[in-house]
Amino acid sequence: QKEVEQDPGPLSVPEGAIVSLNCTYSNSAFQYFMWYRQYSRKGPELLMYTYSSGNKEDGRFTAQVDKSSKYISLFIRDSQPSDSATYLCALPGYTGTASKLTFGTGTRLQVTL
Amino acid sequence: KAGVTQTPRYLIKTRGQQVTLSCSPISGHRSVSWYQQTPGQGLQFLFEYFSETQRNKGNFPGRFSGRQFSNSRSEMNVSTLELGDSALYLCASRAAENYGYTFGSGTRLTVV
């Protein structure tokens, strides 16, 4: 079993739709949660970074964490064609001060006009 | 503020050769990490450097190595290239613990 599971999609939605992207993880040691967006031929770009269970909102984006279920979500409201990208959940793991990110496989999102 | 800069952007090498990739982190960021991204395996952690010391290493063979200089710039080296090393190699830097990572645009390595 992978440490982080993510539905690879692709996911196609019409402009204006609400998008839900999800990841599950198996290791309860993960305490921080990130969402990255990656456009074609670009590096991942940090969208959201959260620690607590509950919701964190930033503009059209809401990150939701449920540590009891080991389930994290990213919601995109009023989706736009410019949101078309691959979305990756990333969980930092720490060993002392050393860290590494464990990524989900990424969900490819297409927002159509 | 300049982002993370990786050079070169594209590289084509022959099996058996070696390659060196370069990364300049955001000014003031002392932690630099490297990741390999492939369609089959996704993003996988290679190693992390902080103040010229390797702090963490992923599950890659010894052909993959790296180093960090006193100005925080980092290089990674892959020796005896194999076809399976074809990938996007991404460098990321961060300011401190519990901060998000900023990625560069990557170096696309093709081994033929």
Side-chain angles (χ1 to χ4, degrees), chain B residues 8 20 29 32 38 48-49 57-58 61 64 69 72-74 81 83-84 103 111:
Chain B
T20 299
H29 287 195
V32 174
T38 59
E48 183 199 19
Y49 286 89
K57 190 177 191 320
F64 292 81
F69 302 96
S72 293
R73 192 177 70 83
S74 178
L81 284 165
L83 295 179
F103 282 82
V111 182

Side-chain angles (χ1 to χ4, degrees), chain B residues 8-54:
Chain B
R9 287 296 310 278
Y10 302 93
L11 208 49
I12 299 176
K13 289 287 188 179
T14 305
R15 269 183 303 174
Q17 287 187 312
Q18 75 165 16
V19 67
T20 299
L21 311 181
S22 180
C23 171
S24 293
I26 290 173
S27 178
H29 287 195
R30 295 164 64 191
S31 170
V32 174
S33 300
W34 288 88
Y35 290 81
Q36 181 196 64
Q37 186 173 31
T38 59
Q41 298 297 318
L43 273 147
Q44 292 187 289
F45 172 74
L46 281 157
F47 21 67
E48 183 199 19
Y49 286 89
F50 182 85
S51 291
E52 302 178 67
T53 301
Q54 185 182 91

Side-chain angles (χ1 to χ4, degrees), chain B residues 55-76:
Chain B
R55 290 205 296 198
N56 205 356
K57 190 177 191 320
N59 294 325
F60 280 82
R63 300 184 296 106
F64 292 81
S65 63
R67 58 177 176 168
Q68 186 181 33
F69 302 96
S70 58
N71 61 358
S72 293
R73 192 177 70 83
S74 178
E75 289 181 347
M76 68 163 281

